PDB file of all heavy atoms in Angstrom:
ATOM      1  N   GLY A   1      -7.202  -0.554  13.228  1.00 97.00           N
ATOM      2  CA  GLY A   1      -7.318   0.130  11.973  1.00 97.00           C
ATOM      3  C   GLY A   1      -6.227   1.162  11.764  1.00 97.00           C
ATOM      4  O   GLY A   1      -5.659   1.343  10.663  1.00 97.00           O
ATOM      5  N   ILE A   2      -5.899   1.925  12.804  1.00 97.00           N
ATOM      6  CA  ILE A   2      -4.803   2.895  12.741  1.00 97.00           C
ATOM      7  C   ILE A   2      -3.488   2.193  12.406  1.00 97.00           C
ATOM      8  O   ILE A   2      -2.727   2.688  11.561  1.00 97.00           O
ATOM      9  CB  ILE A   2      -4.690   3.646  14.063  1.00 97.00           C
ATOM     10  CG1 ILE A   2      -5.870   4.584  14.275  1.00 97.00           C
ATOM     11  CG2 ILE A   2      -3.358   4.452  14.113  1.00 97.00           C
ATOM     12  CD1 ILE A   2      -5.982   5.194  15.633  1.00 97.00           C
ATOM     13  N   GLY A   3      -3.243   1.035  12.995  1.00 96.00           N
ATOM     14  CA  GLY A   3      -2.066   0.270  12.685  1.00 96.00           C
ATOM     15  C   GLY A   3      -1.979  -0.153  11.273  1.00 96.00           C
ATOM     16  O   GLY A   3      -0.969  -0.054  10.583  1.00 96.00           O
ATOM     17  N   LEU A   4      -3.106  -0.631  10.719  1.00 97.00           N
ATOM     18  CA  LEU A   4      -3.170  -1.025   9.325  1.00 97.00           C
ATOM     19  C   LEU A   4      -2.954   0.156   8.380  1.00 97.00           C
ATOM     20  O   LEU A   4      -2.208   0.069   7.426  1.00 97.00           O
ATOM     21  CB  LEU A   4      -4.528  -1.665   9.026  1.00 97.00           C
ATOM     22  CG  LEU A   4      -4.822  -3.075   9.583  1.00 97.00           C
ATOM     23  CD1 LEU A   4      -6.284  -3.431   9.351  1.00 97.00           C
ATOM     24  CD2 LEU A   4      -3.900  -4.086   8.952  1.00 97.00           C
ATOM     25  N   GLY A   5      -3.574   1.264   8.699  1.00 97.00           N
ATOM     26  CA  GLY A   5      -3.443   2.458   7.837  1.00 97.00           C
ATOM     27  C   GLY A   5      -2.028   2.980   7.881  1.00 97.00           C
ATOM     28  O   GLY A   5      -1.472   3.364   6.799  1.00 97.00           O
ATOM     29  N   ALA A   6      -1.417   3.004   9.029  1.00 97.00           N
ATOM     30  CA  ALA A   6      -0.017   3.472   9.136  1.00 97.00           C
ATOM     31  C   ALA A   6       0.915   2.553   8.373  1.00 97.00           C
ATOM     32  O   ALA A   6       1.874   3.013   7.708  1.00 97.00           O
ATOM     33  CB  ALA A   6       0.361   3.605  10.568  1.00 97.00           C
ATOM     34  N   ALA A   7       0.675   1.211   8.486  1.00 97.00           N
ATOM     35  CA  ALA A   7       1.504   0.265   7.747  1.00 97.00           C
ATOM     36  C   ALA A   7       1.396   0.465   6.250  1.00 97.00           C
ATOM     37  O   ALA A   7       2.421   0.474   5.484  1.00 97.00           O
ATOM     38  CB  ALA A   7       1.143  -1.143   8.133  1.00 97.00           C
ATOM     39  N   LEU A   8       0.193   0.639   5.750  1.00 97.00           N
ATOM     40  CA  LEU A   8      -0.007   0.837   4.323  1.00 97.00           C
ATOM     41  C   LEU A   8       0.588   2.164   3.859  1.00 97.00           C
ATOM     42  O   LEU A   8       1.176   2.311   2.816  1.00 97.00           O
ATOM     43  CB  LEU A   8      -1.494   0.806   3.973  1.00 97.00           C
ATOM     44  CG  LEU A   8      -2.158  -0.568   4.090  1.00 97.00           C
ATOM     45  CD1 LEU A   8      -3.656  -0.450   3.861  1.00 97.00           C
ATOM     46  CD2 LEU A   8      -1.532  -1.510   3.099  1.00 97.00           C
ATOM     47  N   GLY A   9       0.418   3.211   4.723  1.00 96.00           N
ATOM     48  CA  GLY A   9       1.007   4.533   4.392  1.00 96.00           C
ATOM     49  C   GLY A   9       2.505   4.456   4.337  1.00 96.00           C
ATOM     50  O   GLY A   9       3.190   5.045   3.484  1.00 96.00           O
ATOM     51  N   GLY A  10       3.117   3.682   5.313  1.00 97.00           N
ATOM     52  CA  GLY A  10       4.570   3.521   5.288  1.00 97.00           C
ATOM     53  C   GLY A  10       5.031   2.768   4.041  1.00 97.00           C
ATOM     54  O   GLY A  10       6.062   3.081   3.441  1.00 97.00           O
ATOM     55  N   LEU A  11       4.232   1.721   3.621  1.00 97.00           N
ATOM     56  CA  LEU A  11       4.597   1.005   2.396  1.00 97.00           C
ATOM     57  C   LEU A  11       4.548   1.965   1.198  1.00 97.00           C
ATOM     58  O   LEU A  11       5.381   1.897   0.314  1.00 97.00           O
ATOM     59  CB  LEU A  11       3.590  -0.141   2.225  1.00 97.00           C
ATOM     60  CG  LEU A  11       3.752  -0.931   0.930  1.00 97.00           C
ATOM     61  CD1 LEU A  11       5.125  -1.572   0.838  1.00 97.00           C
ATOM     62  CD2 LEU A  11       2.643  -1.988   0.859  1.00 97.00           C
ATOM     63  N   GLY A  12       3.558   2.868   1.212  1.00 97.00           N
ATOM     64  CA  GLY A  12       3.443   3.802   0.141  1.00 97.00           C
ATOM     65  C   GLY A  12       4.642   4.708   0.073  1.00 97.00           C
ATOM     66  O   GLY A  12       5.124   5.041  -1.068  1.00 97.00           O
ATOM     67  N   LEU A  13       5.237   5.126   1.178  1.00 96.00           N
ATOM     68  CA  LEU A  13       6.399   5.969   1.177  1.00 96.00           C
ATOM     69  C   LEU A  13       7.584   5.244   0.514  1.00 96.00           C
ATOM     70  O   LEU A  13       8.382   5.859  -0.221  1.00 96.00           O
ATOM     71  CB  LEU A  13       6.800   6.353   2.602  1.00 96.00           C
ATOM     72  CG  LEU A  13       5.792   7.301   3.318  1.00 96.00           C
ATOM     73  CD1 LEU A  13       6.278   7.467   4.767  1.00 96.00           C
ATOM     74  CD2 LEU A  13       5.679   8.622   2.599  1.00 96.00           C
ATOM     75  N   LEU A  14       7.683   3.958   0.748  1.00 97.00           N
ATOM     76  CA  LEU A  14       8.763   3.164   0.090  1.00 97.00           C
ATOM     77  C   LEU A  14       8.534   3.002  -1.384  1.00 97.00           C
ATOM     78  O   LEU A  14       9.458   3.167  -2.199  1.00 97.00           O
ATOM     79  CB  LEU A  14       8.855   1.772   0.785  1.00 97.00           C
ATOM     80  CG  LEU A  14       9.296   1.763   2.237  1.00 97.00           C
ATOM     81  CD1 LEU A  14       9.222   0.364   2.748  1.00 97.00           C
ATOM     82  CD2 LEU A  14      10.670   2.339   2.393  1.00 97.00           C
ATOM     83  N   LEU A  15       7.251   2.742  -1.779  1.00 96.00           N
ATOM     84  CA  LEU A  15       6.930   2.496  -3.148  1.00 96.00           C
ATOM     85  C   LEU A  15       7.093   3.796  -3.969  1.00 96.00           C
ATOM     86  O   LEU A  15       7.375   3.765  -5.206  1.00 96.00           O
ATOM     87  CB  LEU A  15       5.527   1.969  -3.325  1.00 96.00           C
ATOM     88  CG  LEU A  15       5.309   0.553  -2.796  1.00 96.00           C
ATOM     89  CD1 LEU A  15       3.820   0.185  -2.836  1.00 96.00           C
ATOM     90  CD2 LEU A  15       6.136  -0.459  -3.553  1.00 96.00           C
ATOM     91  N   ASP A  16       6.888   4.941  -3.345  1.00 95.00           N
ATOM     92  CA  ASP A  16       7.030   6.231  -4.041  1.00 95.00           C
ATOM     93  C   ASP A  16       8.430   6.402  -4.650  1.00 95.00           C
ATOM     94  O   ASP A  16       8.632   7.158  -5.584  1.00 95.00           O
ATOM     95  CB  ASP A  16       6.752   7.420  -3.100  1.00 95.00           C
ATOM     96  CG  ASP A  16       5.269   7.637  -2.843  1.00 95.00           C
ATOM     97  OD1 ASP A  16       4.483   7.173  -3.730  1.00 95.00           O
ATOM     98  OD2 ASP A  16       4.874   8.218  -1.863  1.00 95.00           O
ATOM     99  N   ARG A  17       9.384   5.710  -4.070  1.00 94.00           N
ATOM    100  CA  ARG A  17      10.785   5.872  -4.530  1.00 94.00           C
ATOM    101  C   ARG A  17      11.006   5.233  -5.887  1.00 94.00           C
ATOM    102  O   ARG A  17      11.952   5.608  -6.598  1.00 94.00           O
ATOM    103  CB  ARG A  17      11.752   5.239  -3.531  1.00 94.00           C
ATOM    104  CG  ARG A  17      11.685   5.872  -2.108  1.00 94.00           C
ATOM    105  CD  ARG A  17      12.507   5.041  -1.116  1.00 94.00           C
ATOM    106  NE  ARG A  17      12.506   5.596   0.224  1.00 94.00           N
ATOM    107  CZ  ARG A  17      13.449   6.377   0.727  1.00 94.00           C
ATOM    108  NH1 ARG A  17      14.507   6.656  -0.005  1.00 94.00           N
ATOM    109  NH2 ARG A  17      13.363   6.828   1.914  1.00 94.00           N
ATOM    110  N   VAL A  18      10.165   4.270  -6.238  1.00 95.00           N
ATOM    111  CA  VAL A  18      10.438   3.512  -7.480  1.00 95.00           C
ATOM    112  C   VAL A  18       9.273   3.522  -8.477  1.00 95.00           C
ATOM    113  O   VAL A  18       9.472   3.064  -9.620  1.00 95.00           O
ATOM    114  CB  VAL A  18      10.812   2.066  -7.127  1.00 95.00           C
ATOM    115  CG1 VAL A  18      12.140   2.025  -6.399  1.00 95.00           C
ATOM    116  CG2 VAL A  18       9.733   1.361  -6.295  1.00 95.00           C
ATOM    117  N   LEU A  19       8.088   3.919  -8.041  1.00 95.00           N
ATOM    118  CA  LEU A  19       6.895   3.803  -8.904  1.00 95.00           C
ATOM    119  C   LEU A  19       6.112   5.116  -8.930  1.00 95.00           C
ATOM    120  O   LEU A  19       6.095   5.876  -7.974  1.00 95.00           O
ATOM    121  CB  LEU A  19       5.968   2.656  -8.444  1.00 95.00           C
ATOM    122  CG  LEU A  19       6.492   1.232  -8.573  1.00 95.00           C
ATOM    123  CD1 LEU A  19       5.602   0.295  -7.868  1.00 95.00           C
ATOM    124  CD2 LEU A  19       6.668   0.858 -10.045  1.00 95.00           C
ATOM    125  N   PRO A  20       5.436   5.376 -10.017  1.00 94.00           N
ATOM    126  CA  PRO A  20       4.493   6.554 -10.101  1.00 94.00           C
ATOM    127  C   PRO A  20       3.265   6.277  -9.303  1.00 94.00           C
ATOM    128  O   PRO A  20       2.964   5.180  -8.866  1.00 94.00           O
ATOM    129  CB  PRO A  20       4.244   6.668 -11.602  1.00 94.00           C
ATOM    130  CG  PRO A  20       4.447   5.313 -12.158  1.00 94.00           C
ATOM    131  CD  PRO A  20       5.548   4.666 -11.328  1.00 94.00           C
ATOM    132  N   PRO A  21       2.429   7.323  -9.135  1.00 93.00           N
ATOM    133  CA  PRO A  21       1.258   7.252  -8.172  1.00 93.00           C
ATOM    134  C   PRO A  21       0.223   6.153  -8.527  1.00 93.00           C
ATOM    135  O   PRO A  21      -0.267   5.506  -7.672  1.00 93.00           O
ATOM    136  CB  PRO A  21       0.640   8.623  -8.309  1.00 93.00           C
ATOM    137  CG  PRO A  21       1.731   9.512  -8.724  1.00 93.00           C
ATOM    138  CD  PRO A  21       2.598   8.703  -9.615  1.00 93.00           C
ATOM    139  N   GLY A  22      -0.069   5.947  -9.825  1.00 94.00           N
ATOM    140  CA  GLY A  22      -1.080   4.993 -10.191  1.00 94.00           C
ATOM    141  C   GLY A  22      -0.715   3.561  -9.775  1.00 94.00           C
ATOM    142  O   GLY A  22      -1.515   2.916  -9.066  1.00 94.00           O
ATOM    143  N   PRO A  23       0.416   3.043 -10.154  1.00 96.00           N
ATOM    144  CA  PRO A  23       0.841   1.715  -9.740  1.00 96.00           C
ATOM    145  C   PRO A  23       0.968   1.606  -8.184  1.00 96.00           C
ATOM    146  O   PRO A  23       0.627   0.560  -7.616  1.00 96.00           O
ATOM    147  CB  PRO A  23       2.217   1.479 -10.357  1.00 96.00           C
ATOM    148  CG  PRO A  23       2.112   2.319 -11.617  1.00 96.00           C
ATOM    149  CD  PRO A  23       1.345   3.564 -11.216  1.00 96.00           C
ATOM    150  N   VAL A  24       1.449   2.688  -7.515  1.00 97.00           N
ATOM    151  CA  VAL A  24       1.489   2.642  -6.066  1.00 97.00           C
ATOM    152  C   VAL A  24       0.077   2.436  -5.486  1.00 97.00           C
ATOM    153  O   VAL A  24      -0.100   1.632  -4.549  1.00 97.00           O
ATOM    154  CB  VAL A  24       2.140   3.929  -5.503  1.00 97.00           C
ATOM    155  CG1 VAL A  24       2.012   3.973  -4.003  1.00 97.00           C
ATOM    156  CG2 VAL A  24       3.577   4.009  -5.911  1.00 97.00           C
ATOM    157  N   ALA A  25      -0.904   3.154  -5.990  1.00 97.00           N
ATOM    158  CA  ALA A  25      -2.253   3.027  -5.533  1.00 97.00           C
ATOM    159  C   ALA A  25      -2.790   1.651  -5.666  1.00 97.00           C
ATOM    160  O   ALA A  25      -3.441   1.072  -4.791  1.00 97.00           O
ATOM    161  CB  ALA A  25      -3.189   4.008  -6.270  1.00 97.00           C
ATOM    162  N   VAL A  26      -2.497   0.984  -6.791  1.00 97.00           N
ATOM    163  CA  VAL A  26      -2.937  -0.410  -7.038  1.00 97.00           C
ATOM    164  C   VAL A  26      -2.298  -1.313  -6.039  1.00 97.00           C
ATOM    165  O   VAL A  26      -2.963  -2.212  -5.429  1.00 97.00           O
ATOM    166  CB  VAL A  26      -2.621  -0.854  -8.460  1.00 97.00           C
ATOM    167  CG1 VAL A  26      -2.839  -2.315  -8.674  1.00 97.00           C
ATOM    168  CG2 VAL A  26      -3.464  -0.032  -9.513  1.00 97.00           C
ATOM    169  N   LEU A  27      -1.001  -1.203  -5.802  1.00 97.00           N
ATOM    170  CA  LEU A  27      -0.331  -2.070  -4.872  1.00 97.00           C
ATOM    171  C   LEU A  27      -0.830  -1.871  -3.430  1.00 97.00           C
ATOM    172  O   LEU A  27      -0.897  -2.827  -2.653  1.00 97.00           O
ATOM    173  CB  LEU A  27       1.159  -1.830  -4.987  1.00 97.00           C
ATOM    174  CG  LEU A  27       1.839  -2.312  -6.279  1.00 97.00           C
ATOM    175  CD1 LEU A  27       3.339  -1.947  -6.297  1.00 97.00           C
ATOM    176  CD2 LEU A  27       1.704  -3.809  -6.433  1.00 97.00           C
ATOM    177  N   LEU A  28      -1.080  -0.639  -3.070  1.00 97.00           N
ATOM    178  CA  LEU A  28      -1.650  -0.393  -1.752  1.00 97.00           C
ATOM    179  C   LEU A  28      -3.006  -0.995  -1.542  1.00 97.00           C
ATOM    180  O   LEU A  28      -3.324  -1.593  -0.537  1.00 97.00           O
ATOM    181  CB  LEU A  28      -1.731   1.096  -1.490  1.00 97.00           C
ATOM    182  CG  LEU A  28      -0.322   1.798  -1.303  1.00 97.00           C
ATOM    183  CD1 LEU A  28      -0.504   3.295  -1.045  1.00 97.00           C
ATOM    184  CD2 LEU A  28       0.472   1.229  -0.197  1.00 97.00           C
ATOM    185  N   LEU A  29      -3.871  -0.933  -2.585  1.00 97.00           N
ATOM    186  CA  LEU A  29      -5.167  -1.581  -2.493  1.00 97.00           C
ATOM    187  C   LEU A  29      -5.002  -3.101  -2.403  1.00 97.00           C
ATOM    188  O   LEU A  29      -5.726  -3.735  -1.658  1.00 97.00           O
ATOM    189  CB  LEU A  29      -6.008  -1.213  -3.718  1.00 97.00           C
ATOM    190  CG  LEU A  29      -6.562   0.201  -3.786  1.00 97.00           C
ATOM    191  CD1 LEU A  29      -7.262   0.448  -5.119  1.00 97.00           C
ATOM    192  CD2 LEU A  29      -7.554   0.424  -2.615  1.00 97.00           C
ATOM    193  N   ALA A  30      -4.073  -3.621  -3.157  1.00 96.00           N
ATOM    194  CA  ALA A  30      -3.840  -5.077  -3.081  1.00 96.00           C
ATOM    195  C   ALA A  30      -3.293  -5.462  -1.712  1.00 96.00           C
ATOM    196  O   ALA A  30      -3.774  -6.474  -1.135  1.00 96.00           O
ATOM    197  CB  ALA A  30      -2.805  -5.458  -4.150  1.00 96.00           C
ATOM    198  N   ALA A  31      -2.385  -4.737  -1.172  1.00 96.00           N
ATOM    199  CA  ALA A  31      -1.835  -4.990   0.161  1.00 96.00           C
ATOM    200  C   ALA A  31      -2.926  -4.957   1.231  1.00 96.00           C
ATOM    201  O   ALA A  31      -3.017  -5.790   2.108  1.00 96.00           O
ATOM    202  CB  ALA A  31      -0.716  -4.074   0.506  1.00 96.00           C
ATOM    203  N   GLY A  32      -3.811  -3.918   1.113  1.00 95.00           N
ATOM    204  CA  GLY A  32      -4.858  -3.807   2.106  1.00 95.00           C
ATOM    205  C   GLY A  32      -5.840  -4.958   1.996  1.00 95.00           C
ATOM    206  O   GLY A  32      -6.346  -5.445   3.023  1.00 95.00           O
ATOM    207  N   THR A  33      -6.117  -5.420   0.797  1.00 94.00           N
ATOM    208  CA  THR A  33      -7.009  -6.526   0.592  1.00 94.00           C
ATOM    209  C   THR A  33      -6.460  -7.780   1.132  1.00 94.00           C
ATOM    210  O   THR A  33      -7.119  -8.619   1.763  1.00 94.00           O
ATOM    211  CB  THR A  33      -7.345  -6.692  -0.910  1.00 94.00           C
ATOM    212  OG1 THR A  33      -7.919  -5.471  -1.441  1.00 94.00           O
ATOM    213  CG2 THR A  33      -8.265  -7.849  -1.166  1.00 94.00           C
ATOM    214  N   LEU A  34      -5.153  -7.961   0.906  1.00 94.00           N
ATOM    215  CA  LEU A  34      -4.480  -9.178   1.469  1.00 94.00           C
ATOM    216  C   LEU A  34      -4.451  -9.174   3.008  1.00 94.00           C
ATOM    217  O   LEU A  34      -4.667 -10.221   3.641  1.00 94.00           O
ATOM    218  CB  LEU A  34      -3.053  -9.253   0.910  1.00 94.00           C
ATOM    219  CG  LEU A  34      -2.903  -9.616  -0.563  1.00 94.00           C
ATOM    220  CD1 LEU A  34      -1.451  -9.521  -1.013  1.00 94.00           C
ATOM    221  CD2 LEU A  34      -3.433 -11.008  -0.819  1.00 94.00           C
ATOM    222  N   LEU A  35      -4.213  -8.030   3.578  1.00 94.00           N
ATOM    223  CA  LEU A  35      -4.158  -7.918   5.054  1.00 94.00           C
ATOM    224  C   LEU A  35      -5.467  -8.210   5.694  1.00 94.00           C
ATOM    225  O   LEU A  35      -5.566  -8.812   6.808  1.00 94.00           O
ATOM    226  CB  LEU A  35      -3.647  -6.564   5.494  1.00 94.00           C
ATOM    227  CG  LEU A  35      -2.191  -6.294   5.350  1.00 94.00           C
ATOM    228  CD1 LEU A  35      -1.830  -4.822   5.596  1.00 94.00           C
ATOM    229  CD2 LEU A  35      -1.345  -7.169   6.258  1.00 94.00           C
ATOM    230  N   THR A  36      -6.583  -7.805   5.024  1.00 93.00           N
ATOM    231  CA  THR A  36      -7.904  -8.008   5.607  1.00 93.00           C
ATOM    232  C   THR A  36      -8.618  -9.286   5.071  1.00 93.00           C
ATOM    233  O   THR A  36      -9.704  -9.559   5.518  1.00 93.00           O
ATOM    234  CB  THR A  36      -8.798  -6.836   5.349  1.00 93.00           C
ATOM    235  OG1 THR A  36      -8.928  -6.664   3.909  1.00 93.00           O
ATOM    236  CG2 THR A  36      -8.234  -5.552   5.959  1.00 93.00           C
ATOM    237  N   GLY A  37      -7.937  -9.980   4.111  1.00 91.00           N
ATOM    238  CA  GLY A  37      -8.613 -11.105   3.489  1.00 91.00           C
ATOM    239  C   GLY A  37      -9.828 -10.726   2.695  1.00 91.00           C
ATOM    240  O   GLY A  37     -10.700 -11.603   2.462  1.00 91.00           O
ATOM    241  N   ALA A  38      -9.953  -9.477   2.295  1.00 90.00           N
ATOM    242  CA  ALA A  38     -11.111  -8.990   1.539  1.00 90.00           C
ATOM    243  C   ALA A  38     -12.415  -9.187   2.295  1.00 90.00           C
ATOM    244  O   ALA A  38     -13.482  -9.217   1.685  1.00 90.00           O
ATOM    245  CB  ALA A  38     -11.174  -9.604   0.142  1.00 90.00           C
ATOM    246  N   LEU A  39     -12.352  -9.345   3.606  1.00 89.00           N
ATOM    247  CA  LEU A  39     -13.557  -9.656   4.427  1.00 89.00           C
ATOM    248  C   LEU A  39     -14.588  -8.539   4.316  1.00 89.00           C
ATOM    249  O   LEU A  39     -15.764  -8.825   4.148  1.00 89.00           O
ATOM    250  CB  LEU A  39     -13.122  -9.917   5.868  1.00 89.00           C
ATOM    251  CG  LEU A  39     -12.315 -11.142   6.170  1.00 89.00           C
ATOM    252  CD1 LEU A  39     -11.847 -11.122   7.643  1.00 89.00           C
ATOM    253  CD2 LEU A  39     -13.120 -12.408   5.846  1.00 89.00           C
TER     254      LEU A  39
END
């Protein structure tokens, strides 16, 4: 879980450079869902 959270947080740092907070939040939720298969 820590690894997944750190990976998503790192992705957020990259997305912050090009997108505002709302779209970043959506993409992080999508990435988390894909990584876990929505299980």
Side-chain angles (χ1 to χ4, degrees):
I2 290 169
L4 288 172
L8 291 175
L11 175 61
L13 293 176
L14 295 176
L15 293 174
D16 281 339
R17 299 170 180 264
V18 294
L19 291 172
V24 171
V26 171
L27 290 176
L28 291 179
L29 287 174
T33 301
L34 289 174
L35 284 172
T36 61
L39 293 173

